[in-house]
Amino acid sequence: MTPDLFQEMVEKLTPHLKKETTFMGEPLEVGLKLAAILHFLATGNSYPSLQYSFRVEASTICKFLPEVCKAIIEFYKDEVLSWPKTQEEWKEVAEMFSSR
């Protein structure tokens, strides 16, 4: 992933993932969360391994992993995922499947 693409993702996802400061302290940066999750998805490393790589408790990673994944899916699903919408498009898919 290029740095520009990563920065674009951070900017697009920040409104969905930004947390407010509380009495418990400062929230984790969206870029840190995104980097940890992309690393997890790319490598399949364990939470303890991510904990040491990103200096974030494994229990915290467990909490924000689903949230970040949902935000990625919600934001990029229409741009990246497409499926047939008309009967003719479904027939094309069926014909391609049959030919394989």
Side-chain angles (χ1 to χ4, degrees), residues 68-82:
V68 174
C69 287
K70 286 177 188 177
I72 292 170
I73 291 167
E74 277 302 310
F75 194 84
Y76 287 99
K77 70 179 177 185
D78 294 331
E79 186 178 325
V80 177
L81 302 173
S82 64

Side-chain angles (χ1 to χ4, degrees), residues 1-70:
M1 172 178 285
T2 65
D4 290 338
L5 177 57
F6 180 79
Q7 189 58 40
E8 177 186 323
M9 288 183 74
V10 169
E11 289 170 8
K12 288 181 178 181
L13 296 173
T14 293
H16 303 286
L17 298 173
K18 183 92 169 128
K19 301 288 184 186
E20 298 295 323
T21 301
T22 65
F23 70 93
M24 298 287 287
E26 293 289 321
L28 294 174
E29 293 293 323
V30 173
L32 175 67
K33 291 179 182 181
L34 182 61
I37 298 312
L38 292 175
H39 186 79
F40 172 75
L41 294 172
T43 64
N45 282 355
S46 65
Y47 291 162
S49 173
L50 292 172
Q51 171 181 319
Y52 296 113
S53 296
F54 292 92
R55 296 179 170 254
V56 177
E57 286 290 329
S59 60
T60 303
I61 295 170
C62 290
K63 291 178 186 173
F64 70 71
L65 183 134
E67 178 185 1
V68 174
C69 287
K70 286 177 188 177

